[in-house]
Structures are given as structure tokens and as C-alpha cells.
Amino acid sequence: MIRLFHALKKAGILGMNRRNADYIMLFNPRHNYPLVDDKLLTKRLAEEAGIHVPKLYHMIQIERQIRQLPKMLEGINDFVIKPAHGSGGNGIMVITGSRNGSYVRGSGLLTNIDELGHHISNILSGMHSLGGQPDQAMIEQRVIFDPMFDRISYQGVPDIRTVVFRGVPIMAMVRLPTRMSDGKANLHQGAVGAGLDMGSGRTTTAVWKETFVDTHPDTGDPIAGLQIPQWETLLELAARCYSLAELGYLGVDVVLDKYQGPLVLELNARPGLSIQLANRASLLRRLQRVEALDAIPDSAEERARLGQRLFGLDTPPVAQVLAPA
Amino acid sequence: MTNLHLKILALILCALGVAGVWYKVSVIGLPLQPDAETQTWTVEARVSYQAEGGPTQVRLFLPGTQPKFSVLGEDFVSGSFGLARESEGNNRIALWTARRASGEQTLYYRIRLAADRDGDSVLTGPQPPFPSVPDYPEPYGSAAKTVLEEVRRESADIASFTRRLLIRYGATSPDENVQVLREDPDTDLEHVENIIHILAGARIPARPVKVLHLRDRMRRGTLDTFLEVHNGTEWVAFNPRTGQRGYEDDMLVWYRGAGELLQLSGGSGGQVEFSAALTVRQMVSIAEQRAAQRGSLLMDFSLLGLPVQTQNVYRLLLLIPIGALVMVFMRNVIGVSTFGTFMPILIALAFRETQLLWGIFLFTFIVAMGLAIRFYLENLKLLLVPRLAAVLTVVVLLLAAVTILTHKLGLERGLSIALFPMVILAMTIERMSLVWEEHGPSEAIKQGVGSLVVAVIGYLVMFRPQLEHLVFYFPELLLIVLAVTLLMGRYTGYRLTELWRFRHLLREMNKS
């Protein structure tokens, strides 16, 4: 047992206790949490800073507004309902279209406006929020994700999680929804996490429910070697989010919209540790390398380049040649 | 910096805790074991005499501080007499007076004692004046001189001198010098006074001491006389018959000096009878009495001063920090996931009333039933707070139903289910159903079982009679618990479950 603990330490794997005590508590001032916990606030700040985010259609703050839901949704066929203070992807409902007065969920199931209303009501009463406080519901633009992920994701929106330490992107992964995760891009709900080479932006290794995989469990297509488009822009975007929230240890979730490119979906003040499994690499080593730097550049662009240079693989994975679907 | 600060704080807390426990154990004598018992003596002196009808006064020596006992309490039965207590040198005196009394009078004095090996001793004291060498008549004088000379040659200091003298004096076949010295005394006191007289020849200060040899169920006991000599720094006691040094463990020192035990005026036929009885009592209650007798502030401001009902509440409350420590350990070192931070500890508290197996069964039953109802309520699309209230109502009804059913079946254990924290159960059911829907049944059951396991471990750790006793009588131990909790707050090592979580990664990384 003790030997295993030592082995974990030697491998430099970041554990939950260490992450909380040495990174989150030291680098993330508590008073900045609302900036990332309240997705509405994050969205406003991001818009002011010129960072692209999905468009907000409507905001529902009180129960009574639910009655106006049919009116609000007029002319909008695909959208996402989410709690402003949600955590871990809970309470997100994706509507991909409408058919004969019913709405089509991300999973393909039909649902009606009453169920949407009930879902929003649950959000308002704080069912999905941290600590169960009353919450607000956001109805926002559904991202039409880049078709490059079609072959290795099952419904839902794959997103790219980047851990940014003191403004330097240090590790990234792309989270691919599966049938099991019900279209949600959350690893503990059964999504696949695929590590990304920081230098090239190509997928490397992948993990699914704590086991290593090479192919997507639903589509069977190989995961490695996929090139994330606009990788450098994406890293710069992630680096810029640092100045947005002033959180030293930050998780940035980005989605790739087919038309708008990288959009920041949300920020996370307590990014998880599974990214280490996806990349098969130690977070602690990378954190310590950034800590050892004498100076960190002010410009987000330089920080993004720094991350690429420090943490890129010596031999980037071979690019997958995408056969036209 | 933070770590150093924390370590110093933890060290201070531990030191305070240990110091408090040390004081209570070694000074007040609180036992570390829950059922520790000790022997206590109840000693009674009964004074009886014939009063002559006029004003009367009774003076009786009382035991003072003791070398082998600590005093738990004393009381007097004085009848129509007025009572005053005085002290005279090292001795205490009870003074009973009455304006008019006639006929048979009986007065009682009772003292309760607990054995105390290192009890107070008044043996140290200022150097008494050296007695002057008496003018011995012949042949007593030359015999005394010879014996003292010989004894001095055979001894190293005053104590060994006295011991040699006593042995020589008490020998069964004494030499002729000793025979001259021995005057066939009638009483103990005369015997001791003779020895004091001889010791004066060597200018050694000595005094008689009246002691009561305690025996269980003793009636009509009398005082024996012991000898104390001053060796320049302290009084050393000897058994004048055997030369044995020191008092025995069951000897109660009543008073020192040659005075009469009982002095009467306005009466005659005074008599004092001693009786003693041995009882076995809880060390805890003895320590309490002892502390009260000493006026110990720490004990006065302790939980023992509270009403019993409040004490019982604290017996439970003081265990909660221990449960919280278990919780910290299970979550941060083992890495078990549970519903709610401290919910398992509250469940563990309920287990105390229901007993473990019943507790587990009832908890599982209520949560399972509650979940079923919660899933039914889901169809009705209720708002959060009314839904919680509905689940709570159902939980209360379930509890009542189980109680009635088990009562009818004659299973009295089932009655204790009412002590389950209902609100916590309702919240648990709600949380569990949410996890069930969002993360699937396996995650919900995993967390549910995790909560139950932590509750069981918490129960097993918290409710040991030994631990209950320790935290109640030594609440300062919680400072040590606090110190450990604080240190755990800076534990940045891995959790046990992370070994499992990262097992593949570990293998992968060690390969390369």
C-alpha cells in the first residue's frame, strides 16, 4: 500500500487533497468564485472582454416567467436550457429541434413544453445548483458543433477542457459524449476524455470510465491523431480567460462552433483530475514547471505559446487522415 | 509558513489537552477507565458520657490531613449541642457545648476517606526544639547511657538510630540494660512516653501519635499509639512495638501529641468508641468529592457541575467531534463519497439508540421506501420545497408505521426508530434520487452504501464505553481531536481511492 502511494507520488499524479490545499486554496481567491460559478456573470464579463461565447436568448428568474415560455421560444428551434449556477453539467437540457409542437431532446427523445417548464422550475428552486440555493435558468444558443467530431462522439456537444495555471495553458483534453453520458460531455457521467498534445493540438490517448481506450465506444472509430482546428486561437482564448476571472488554477471549457469557431462555454474554479487520465500525464509536474518560471508573460498570446512550447510532445501524434464522411 | 503556524497551533492544543488530562488523573484522581472502583472507609467516633445537668463541654480530637487517605467528607451528629471546630497545632478539635444537659449524652463524628497513596503529609514541619537531657535516676541513667551509646554506634542517622533502639527495646529476650529501662508500662502511651524519655537522652525530638487501625466492620475500636521522631527535616513515624518505619496503608492518624482524646467538663464517664466500614465506590464520584473538598476550579467549572439531564446531553454531544474526525478521515484519506458532509454521523448517533443491526436494517428500509415514493412524486412534477416536505411527511408516516408494526410484533427495538433524524433522511432521499437520475443508479447506490459504511464505522468508533468515558470526563481531549483535524486539513497526500482511480495511469507511466 505504502509502496503504491510512493509510486503515485513518483509519477507526479495530482491528488484531490493536494489540488484543493496547494492549488485551489492558494491560487483561487474565494471572492472570485461567483465570477465563474454564475454562468450569466461569466458570459457578460467574457462579452465585455471580447471573448466569444454562445448567445444568450432568454433569462428566467422567477416561476411566473415560465408561463411565457411558449412566447419566448417562438422562432427558436434549437437551444440549451441550463442553470446559471449549475455544476458538473447537471441540469442541462439540449433541444435540437421541434416537431409537431413537441421538442426533440439531444438524445432524440421527444418532450413537450410542460416538461420544459417543469425542468426550468426545478432549476429555479435550486435543484441543480451548488448548495441548493434558488437559481436562474438560462436559455442560450445551441452550439452547432464542428462536424470533425461526428465520427467520435455520440450526440451532444464535445468540448475542450483546458487547465490554465497562472494564465498558462498547461493541459487539455477533448471530452466526447457517449450514449452512456446521454450526450453530456462529462467524464464521470460516461463521456470519453481524449488527451491533447499541447504543441500540435492533436488528440493522443483517451480514457473512458477510468479505463484506457483507443476507439470511441459507440462509433468504434479511432480517437488518436485528430487535429483540433484553430488550436492556437483556442489556447489564446483559454489564456485570456485567466484575466477575466483572476483565478490562478482555472478550467476553461471551449466548444467549437461550426460557424463561429471556438466559443467559451464556461469556466471552472475546481477543474477535475481526470484530465491526467486522458493525457496519461502528470498535472503536478506541469504545475511545478510553471511555478518555477521567473516571469510569466503579460500577453495571452505569449502565454499560449509558452504553454505549447513547455508542454508540447517532442513527437506530435501522426495526424489522422479524415476520409470524407 | 502556514504549515509551521499550523503545526505550532496543533502542538499547543495537544499540550493543553495532555496537561488537562494529566492534572485530572494525577491530582484529582479521575480514572481513565470507565468502571474503575476504589475502596472508601466510613469511620465513626461515638462519644458517650453522663452529663450532670449544668453547662457542659466536650472536646474531641479530630483527624487532620492524612498520609494514606484523602478526606471525602465529614459530618457531626450533635443533638442539642452547639458545635465549634478549632485547631491546635497540627490537630483539629471538635468542641461541643450545651447550656444544660443531663443524663446519657451521645455525639457522633463521621468521616469518609478514600485510599490515597500519595496523600497530603504534614510530616514536614519546622524543627522542634531539642529536648534537654533528662536527669535520669540510677540505675536507669547508666542503663540508658549504655544503650544509647551502643545504638549510636550501630546506626547512621536519626531514623536508623530510632529503629535500632526500638528493636533493641522490644526484643523478646532483652539484655539487662534494657530490662532496667523497661518499666512494664500499662498502656501503649506509657510505653511510647518511656521511649521518648530515652530518646531525649540523645536529644532527639519525638512525640506520640494516636492512630486508628482500620478494619472492615470494626466496632468498639480504640486508638493505638505510634511514635514520630524529627530527623532535622521531617517527622518520621515508627511502630513502637516493631520498629517498622512509616504508617501502614490502613492507618488513620487521629491526632498528635500526648493530650487526652476526649476532654469533658460538666459530665463524667466519657467514652469514645470507633467503628469503621469499607465500601467500594466508583472512582469518578470519589474524585468529584475530593475535588469539591479541595475547591478545584477546573472541576468546579466542568461538565460534572451540570444537572444530570444536561450532562447526558453532553455525553452524546462530546462524541460528535470524534465522529467528525472519522468523517474527515473517511473522506480525505480514504476518499469515500457520501451524501451530505455529516449526514453519516447523524445516522451513527441514531444507531446508538437502535443498535447496529436494527439501525442498518431500518435505515435501508426507510431510504428504500422513501426513494420509491420520491420516484412516484417525480411524475407529479412538484416544486422542490413542497416535494421535500412531501417526502418528509412520508418518512414520518413510515417511521410511525414501522414503530406500530414492530410494537404489535413485540419487537421493542423497533420503537427506537423514532430517533432517526427524519429531516436528514428526507434530504438524503432527495439527494439520492437526484444522483440516481443524473449519474445513474450505480452511483447513487455507491454513495448510499458509502454513507452507510461511514455511519457504521462512525458508530463503532464513537460508542465505546471507554471513549464515552474519556471525552466526558476529559473534554480537553477534544483539543487533541481538534489538533488532529487541523493537521488533516493540510493533508495533501493521496486518498486511498485515488490508488484505484489512477491505477491504470500508474501502470502506464511506470512502463515508460
Side-chain angles (χ1 to χ4, degrees):
Chain A
M1 192 83 87
I2 304 290
R3 247 195 13 246
L4 279 172
F5 274 100
H6 275 293
L8 269 184
K9 199 168 181 180
K10 223 177 90 210
I13 293 167
L14 186 65
M16 191 75 89
N17 291 327
R18 181 123 193 209
R19 179 200 74 173
N20 291 344
D22 288 351
Y23 292 98
I24 290 187
M25 277 189 198
L26 290 186
F27 291 98
N28 291 358
R30 190 88 222 171
H31 60 92
N32 285 344
Y33 277 29
L35 303 183
V36 296
D37 286 343
D38 185 342
K39 296 196 176 76
L40 191 67
L41 204 55
T42 316
K43 203 181 271 288
R44 290 216 181 106
L45 282 173
E47 276 172 347
E48 277 166 25
I51 294 170
H52 297 295
V53 289
K55 192 174 176 304
L56 179 73
Y57 293 144
H58 290 290
M59 194 62 212
I60 297 180
Q61 284 156 311
I62 55 171
E63 200 74 24
R64 211 186 143 77
Q65 287 175 299
I66 298 174
R67 293 196 204 167
Q68 292 150 15
L69 197 60
K71 215 169 141 200
M72 284 182 187
L73 294 178
E74 255 173 41
I76 313 173
N77 280 332
D78 60 335
F79 52 87
V80 177
I81 301 175
K82 55 163 78 168
H85 288 90
S87 68
N90 292 338
I92 296 176
M93 190 184 255
V94 182
I95 301 296
T96 54
S98 64
R99 197 183 301 154
N100 311 331
S102 309
Y103 289 93
V104 187
R105 291 187 62 168
S107 54
L109 296 174
L110 289 182
T111 184
N112 59 32
I113 194 119
D114 287 341
E115 279 184 42
L116 291 187
H118 179 64
H119 184 75
I120 292 172
S121 162
N122 275 339
I123 290 175
L124 294 188
S125 60
M127 192 162 125
H128 304 286
S129 66
L130 296 160
Q133 304 123 321
D135 202 359
Q136 301 162 335
M138 297 159 61
I139 301 177
E140 65 171 31
Q141 167 198 351
R142 181 174 78 93
V143 175
I144 313 293
F145 61 91
D146 202 293
M148 63 158 290
F149 289 121
D150 275 356
R151 293 167 350 106
I152 53 165
S153 67
Y154 181 86
Q155 299 171 342
V157 184
D159 70 0
I160 296 149
R161 153 71 58 91
T162 312
V163 173
V164 181
F165 181 57
R166 298 172 74 183
V168 182
I170 60 169
M171 198 179 275
M173 67 170 166
V174 52
R175 300 185 291 188
L176 308 162
T178 60
R179 185 202 305 272
M180 193 182 169
S181 75
D182 188 26
K184 287 176 190 161
N186 237 307
L187 290 204
H188 65 257
Q189 286 171 340
V192 169
L196 289 170
D197 167 33
M198 290 302 286
S200 63
R202 283 178 203 149
T203 50
T204 54
T205 53
V207 68
W208 184 49
K209 295 189 304 174
E210 299 187 357
T211 52
F212 294 137
V213 291
D214 295 324
T215 57
H216 190 273
D218 296 323
T219 65
D221 279 306
I223 292 169
L226 211 65
Q227 175 70 49
I228 303 288
Q230 302 183 52
W231 174 240
E232 303 196 339
T233 324
L234 190 149
L235 283 185
E236 280 163 36
L237 202 61
R240 275 165 72 189
C241 287
Y242 166 63
S243 41
L244 205 66
E246 297 286 327
L247 294 170
Y249 184 76
L250 182 70
V252 180
D253 293 348
V254 174
V255 282
L256 291 173
D257 191 81
K258 192 172 174 180
Y259 308 106
Q260 291 166 281
L263 301 177
V264 171
L265 203 58
E266 61 177 85
L267 304 181
N268 197 320
R270 311 168 194 81
L273 304 170
S274 300
I275 197 168
Q276 299 178 105
L277 287 169
N279 280 284
R280 300 187 199 175
S282 144
L283 255 181
L284 194 56
R285 295 266 164 73
R286 297 194 180 182
L287 288 165
Q288 283 164 344
R289 274 186 83 174
V290 174
E291 277 180 291
L293 290 177
D294 296 329
I296 288 169
D298 282 337
S299 99
E301 201 185 329
E302 279 174 53
R303 289 200 301 263
R305 293 297 90 75
L306 181 67
Q308 280 185 293
R309 204 167 56 240
L310 284 178
F311 306 119
L313 295 177
D314 297 336
T315 47
V318 183
Q320 236 186 84
V321 185
L322 282 178
Chain B
M1 182 54 214
T2 342
N3 277 345
L4 185 67
H5 179 169
L6 185 73
K7 277 175 190 158
I8 290 172
L9 180 64
L11 199 68
I12 292 171
L13 288 173
C14 280
L16 280 177
V18 169
V21 172
W22 177 83
Y23 173 77
K24 284 183 173 176
V25 170
S26 66
V27 179
I28 295 177
L30 271 176
L32 289 167
Q33 296 297 321
D35 297 320
E37 288 175 334
T38 190
Q39 297 179 328
T40 62
W41 288 96
T42 306
V43 180
E44 195 177 82
R46 179 178 180 271
V47 179
S48 57
Y49 75 103
Q50 289 291 328
E52 287 159 357
T56 179
Q57 180 177 321
V58 178
R59 275 170 66 93
L60 179 76
F61 279 112
L62 300 179
T65 43
Q66 295 294 324
K68 297 292 184 187
F69 297 98
S70 57
V71 177
L72 302 178
E74 54 182 1
D75 47 85
F76 299 85
V77 178
S78 316
S80 57
F81 283 73
L83 172 70
R85 272 170 286 185
E86 297 176 346
S87 60
E88 189 186 271
N90 284 326
N91 296 319
R92 294 195 310 141
I93 292 166
L95 197 63
W96 279 287
T97 49
R99 173 70 62 190
R100 207 170 287 128
S102 61
E104 172 85 23
Q105 302 293 327
T106 319
L107 299 162
Y108 292 95
Y109 165 72
R110 192 181 297 130
I111 183 169
R112 287 188 309 282
L113 303 158
D116 188 354
R117 286 296 132 84
D118 30 63
D120 286 319
S121 132
V122 287
L123 291 177
T124 55
Q127 171 74 43
F130 294 107
S132 53
V133 179
D135 274 336
Y136 298 121
E138 289 303 332
Y140 191 98
S142 48
K145 210 174 163 190
T146 319
V147 170
L148 288 175
E149 279 300 317
E150 285 173 22
V151 168
R152 178 172 288 130
R153 238 178 285 133
E154 294 164 4
S155 60
D157 56 6
I158 289 174
S160 58
F161 181 92
T162 313
R163 189 172 151 77
R164 282 301 308 160
L165 178 68
L166 287 170
I167 289 170
R168 183 105 187 240
Y169 188 91
T172 38
S173 51
D175 58 65
E176 55 192 21
N177 283 325
V178 171
Q179 268 172 11
V180 174
L181 294 179
R182 280 203 200 169
E183 287 172 331
D184 293 323
D186 296 338
T187 64
D188 263 4
L189 182 62
E190 282 167 18
H191 171 80
V192 170
E193 273 171 349
N194 192 23
I195 288 172
I196 292 171
H197 192 59
I198 299 166
L199 283 171
R203 306 207 64 190
I204 295 172
R207 64 185 181 190
V209 180
K210 291 291 189 180
V211 298
L212 182 66
H213 204 136
L214 297 176
R215 289 185 308 279
D216 192 17
R217 288 191 283 277
M218 176 174 73
R219 312 203 146 269
R220 297 172 202 281
T222 50
L223 298 182
D224 298 325
T225 309
F226 256 54
L227 176 71
E228 278 184 0
V229 297
H230 201 274
N231 69 0
T233 52
E234 57 178 358
W235 289 98
V236 184
F238 289 95
N239 184 332
R241 298 284 175 199
T242 61
Q244 180 100 34
R245 184 177 170 160
Y247 295 108
E248 284 160 42
D249 284 346
D250 50 0
M251 255 173 205
L252 177 63
V253 174
W254 206 272
Y255 70 103
R256 295 183 165 89
E260 280 290 315
L261 171 64
L262 179 69
Q263 288 167 36
L264 283 177
S265 71
S268 61
Q271 206 182 348
V272 184
E273 283 175 350
F274 294 95
S275 56
L278 189 62
T279 44
V280 174
R281 284 176 58 196
Q282 295 267 310
M283 269 173 82
V284 169
S285 60
I286 289 163
E288 281 170 42
Q289 288 180 5
R290 192 180 289 149
Q293 199 81 9
R294 283 168 191 248
S296 163
L297 210 62
L298 190 66
M299 289 293 280
D300 203 29
F301 284 90
S302 80
L303 295 165
L304 299 171
L306 297 174
V308 176
Q309 209 177 354
T310 320
Q311 282 191 25
N312 287 338
V313 173
Y314 274 97
R315 273 175 196 273
L316 202 62
L317 282 187
L318 289 173
L319 286 170
I320 292 179
I322 307 273
L325 184 64
V326 171
M327 201 65 221
V328 168
F329 183 81
M330 292 304 284
R331 284 179 71 117
N332 277 26
V333 180
I334 307 291
V336 184
S337 49
T338 59
F339 289 116
T341 317
F342 288 110
M343 182 280 264
I345 295 311
L346 294 170
I347 299 296
L349 286 180
F351 283 173
R352 181 182 143 103
E353 306 303 329
T354 57
Q355 298 302 316
L356 194 56
L357 285 180
W358 260 101
I360 294 172
F361 169 74
L362 291 174
F363 175 78
T364 316
F365 175 76
I366 297 284
V367 169
M369 291 297 289
L371 264 182
I373 283 153
R374 169 67 180 73
F375 283 127
Y376 167 71
L377 290 179
E378 180 64 24
N379 293 330
L380 305 180
K381 307 285 176 207
L382 302 176
L383 294 178
L384 176 74
V385 181
R387 187 173 59 221
L388 266 177
V391 172
L392 180 63
T393 310
V394 171
V395 166
V396 172
L397 286 174
L398 273 174
L399 289 178
V402 170
T403 310
I404 293 167
L405 202 69
T406 49
H407 181 63
K408 285 285 172 211
L409 289 174
L411 298 168
E412 291 305 311
R413 272 273 158 252
L415 301 184
S416 53
I417 194 176
L419 294 154
F420 265 119
M422 307 163 294
V423 177
I424 298 293
L425 280 179
M427 301 289 273
T428 304
I429 290 164
E430 176 68 21
R431 295 272 291 268
M432 195 159 173
S433 74
L434 279 192
V435 173
W436 191 294
E437 272 182 14
E438 290 179 359
H439 306 298
S442 66
E443 180 70 21
I445 289 170
K446 196 179 102 192
Q447 287 193 28
V449 171
S451 305
L452 195 59
V453 165
V454 174
V456 169
I457 292 175
Y459 168 83
L460 291 177
V461 171
M462 284 159 80
F463 298 113
R464 298 168 159 275
Q466 171 80 61
L467 196 69
E468 268 177 72
H469 169 85
L470 282 178
V471 291
F472 184 70
Y473 288 100
F474 307 98
E476 53 276 3
L477 282 175
L478 294 186
L479 291 177
I480 299 175
V481 171
L482 179 62
V484 175
T485 312
L486 290 177
L487 288 176
M488 292 251 246
R490 286 297 305 172
Y491 169 72
T492 56
Y494 299 103
R495 299 175 181 179
L496 202 57
T497 46
E498 280 170 352
L499 283 182
W500 178 253
R501 180 177 176 190
F502 293 120
R503 65 194 183 282
H504 297 300
L505 182 55
L506 199 56
R507 205 173 304 145
E508 195 75 17
M509 288 176 79
N510 283 349
K511 235 186 319 188
S512 54

